[in-house]
Amino acid sequence: MEPLNPEKGSKTRPAFDVVFPTVSRPPPSKTDRLGPPEDAVPPSPGQQFVSGILDTPAGPVPIVVPQKEAADFRGTFRARWGVGRMRYAVDPGLYALRKPTEDSPVLVTANYKMSFDRLRFSLQGRSAWILVLDTKGINVWCAAGKGTFSTEELVRRVDFCAVDKVVTHRRLILPQLAGPGVAAYRVKKLCGFEVVYGPIRAEDLPEFLDAGMKVVPRMRHKTFPIAERVVLIPVELVEAFKWAVFILPALFLLGGLGGPGSFPENALIHGSFAVAAASLGILAGAVLTPTLLPWLPGRAFSMKGAVAGCLTSIPLFAYYALQGLSGARSLEILSWLVLIPAIASFLGMNFTGASTYTSLSGVKKEMRIAVPIQIVSAALGLAGWLISRFLA
């Protein structure tokens, strides 16, 4: 499960620690049921983590390996660095963890492989059914917000996989963070299954199950320590440098324009300075912002990123200020003092997807305010820097 930060005042939908009572009622009529899911094919038994096939009244079900293997470490490492991230998914459908029976719990998750892996690895020595929804390779919380971890997808998957034929109970255990996308009463109405919201962290599932599906307060609280924040940095760096590989060389070449020296000399001095300053902005937004997140002032991630940008630019400014600056050189430095926080502020906003600081409406509100300011700041800073090249 992706790390989150439950700061007080979060506007995300609260999860309810409710186990709906069993009510005797007829099964839903065919007219109440939804159509089959889009893929409408069973999961492939050829996936790396499948160790065999379990015959059930609903047909053959793949048996998954509960422990980590080398391929899982490699896949996670690549996904953390953005390599094949959107293809890091498992086939949706019903899986068997070890040898579940008709009384074993049914746990629901997303088909983002890291979410799937967290679930199966947390249930060492246990048997369970794992129902994987087609969330287009997106983790549970984000998929719930985007509408792919939804009531309709859950009901379709339950019907298509004939879950009612493999278990005698009528309970589905969902991650708490699936709450924004699933209406429990509609699930009950459409497929006859009750929804039970489990703990936030998959690691708490054994204790949750042993306690009769009861949670304690800490299971509803998601921490966001530095280790969980830092692990998000690589993919953000990769995404930032996809643009930087074009922008940084352009800045280096533009730095060679104007000035009293030759083009190579100017590029080496002013172009290299521009590349270093832009790189500082990237590092401030993609590295310093998540690392220092709790200590940076402001609630908005754009503000936190801007502050991180200012912190990184102060030593740069101080170094050149001590050397004594001409008018053109002063304009060059001042321009980057505007550009660096703008870059860091924009990149810092990427981490709103890993935190509950704001709701979707809060993110949209922040973007409406912050993005125009970032654009104006970047434009002024870039214009000032280009002008400084011809004033020298």
Side-chain angles (χ1 to χ4, degrees), residues 45-62:
Q47 298 176 92
Q48 159 264 324
F49 50 83
V50 174
S51 62
I53 295 294
L54 179 66
D55 290 325
T56 74
V61 173

Side-chain angles (χ1 to χ4, degrees), residues 192-213:
F193 276 79
E194 302 162 0
V195 168
V196 180
Y197 288 104
I200 286 182
R201 299 176 63 89
E203 291 82 354
D204 290 327
L205 276 170
E207 182 181 348
F208 169 78
L209 294 171
D210 290 343
M213 294 187 292

